[in-house]
Every structure is written in C-alpha cells, then in structure tokens.
Amino acid sequence: MPVQLRFQTGLTGADYVTREAWREARLLRCPLHPRGGCRFARHGTYERKRPAGTLIARWYCPQGHRTFSLLPDHLAARFPGTLSEIERVVVTVEQAKSVEAAADALRRDPVTLANALRWVRRRLRLVRALLTIVVGLLPQSLLGCAPTVAAVRARLACPQVLVALRERTQVHLQALARPLGFRHPSYAGGEHPSDFQQHMGPDPPRRVG
Ligand SMILES: [Zn+2]
C-alpha cells in the first residue's frame, strides 16, 4: 500500500476529474531521500472507483522499496468516495431520530435496511473517533467542542469540516486514521511513522498552474 501524502488542490471531485489534476501533481524530492541519489521517479497513476474517472499520481523509490501517492484533499483516505459524502452520512445521522431512521433515509432500493445500517455505522464510527481525537489536537479552535460534525461546523464556521480538517491537521495526517488521515489501517500505533514525515515539512505539495 502506498504511503499517502496530501495533495492540496482546492478542487471538488468533479473538477479534479474534469481538469485531470493528477497530471499537475508534483513530488520533487523523495520523502525518504531528500538529497536524491535513490532513482526516485514518477510511477504512473492508480484509479479510484469514485468519483468515476479519478486517478491518483504515484511515485516510487527503488532504494526504499516504497510507493508514494498524492491524495487530493476531497478524497477519503484508504476508504471509498469523498470526504463530503462521508460527512453527509454523519450529518444525516446527527439530524435523524435514530441511526436506523438515517440509514433508512439514505438507502436506495434494493439495499436492505440491515446493509444500510452497517454502511452508515461504519462511517459514523470512523468519523466520531476521528472528531474526538481532532478536538484534542486543535484546542485553540475546538476546546470543549462536542465531537459532532454539527458542532465542529459551527466552531470552524465551515460547511465542509472533514476537508477543512485535512488542512488543519496537516502535521498529524500520517498518524491519524482513515478517512481523514493516511495511517495504514493495520497500523496499531506505538511506533512513530516519522521516517519520511520529518522531511515533508508544513507545506504540502500544491497544484501548479
Ligand atoms: Zn528515495
């Protein structure tokens, strides 16, 4: 599984596809070997099923046997779809009488209520755990904030909090869980994934042009 890095695009999923923005992704130095000499090179793209037509730019370091990819901000990390789709599910639950009512409202035939419930609960569990951590990581803006999308939206005065939090938690993304952070799902914690993080600095790769 590639190491994911943030690709700050400011684009929606549709615009990213229309503009083929992965062509503009740049990773000038190997995150493992910033001084070079490792034959670090562009390594094509890989496809995400949704939004349809989404490609992700990829690089490979032969010396470190590591693949890197630049994940645009609108996409969920190590999870299908976009951050705003996931956020919409969680908000629907927050505004519904129950998780069951939200799952029923979100499901489309022929999806059963049981399957829709599982689908909703998976997203809800991930986002609630993330928001609880993020509130602690950002005391200046979120001290005492409830770990809900509605509360974080109000605090940040922002309609799309997961995308906004990709930016605000930038330095923590390698340690944070999906769908916001880039941590490998099987990574159990304990060891600090700092071998490349220290070289990435606070400035994410940006879209050029
Ligand atoms: Zn390298």
Side-chain angles (χ1 to χ4, degrees), residues 30-34 36-40 60-64 68:
C30 176
L32 296 173
H33 311 100
C38 61
R39 291 180 292 126
F40 178 73
Y60 183 65
C61 167
Q63 193 173 317
F68 298 89

